[in-house]
Amino acid sequence: MTRYQTLDLIEQITRLDGSQYFEVSDMFMNGRAELAAIRGMIKEVRIVQLNIAHTKAVQAYEKYINETYEMPPENFTKWVEWDKPVGPIHDAYEEILKTNHVG
């Protein structure tokens, strides 16, 4: 599914093993995460910050996500956790969390 994601929220995802991570996302992907929870691919998802500022860090992370991942169709069968490779992408991700007082 090709759809450009404009990232504007932060959610907390609980994996099946109970560990948690934060993701910079949008309402479309939050809906997919809710489906993943219903289907037993993850335990839970909750939005922790809405309407985050579209900073340079968000724009860099957003560009990486859109170039690296396909957005799942409604009938997806596996939850894909987005990688945050060491370097500029991981730094942008960490800056987003810090700027929004999350984590």
Side-chain angles (χ1 to χ4, degrees):
M1 174 174 217
T2 304
R3 179 178 180 274
Y4 190 85
Q5 302 296 297
T6 301
L7 306 181
D8 59 0
L9 62 85
I10 299 172
E11 58 192 7
Q12 183 179 51
I13 295 175
T14 305
R15 299 177 185 102
L16 293 176
D17 67 4
S19 63
Q20 298 176 327
Y21 70 99
F22 293 105
E23 190 55 79
V24 183
S25 191
D26 66 358
M27 290 306 287
F28 175 85
M29 282 305 294
N30 180 260
R32 291 301 191 251
E34 290 286 349
L35 277 175
I38 290 167
R39 294 174 183 168
M41 298 171 202
I42 60 174
K43 277 190 179 177
E44 178 183 55
V45 61
R46 69 183 187 96
I47 296 172
V48 295
Q49 186 75 31
L50 285 170
N51 300 321
I52 62 173
H54 205 239
T55 62
K56 288 188 186 284
V58 171
Q59 291 171 38
Y61 188 69
E62 178 179 280
K63 182 177 187 288
Y64 160 74
I65 293 301
N66 280 286
E67 290 175 351
T68 306
Y69 295 97
E70 270 193 40
M71 300 307 114
E74 189 173 346
N75 63 349
F76 68 99
T77 57
K78 180 182 175 195
W79 179 251
V80 176
E81 186 173 330
W82 295 341
D83 288 327
K84 292 142 188 81
V86 174
I89 299 305
H90 189 266
D91 294 347
Y93 169 79
E94 290 294 329
E95 183 178 329
I96 294 164
L97 296 184
K98 183 179 176 184
T99 300
N100 287 281
H101 310 287
V102 173

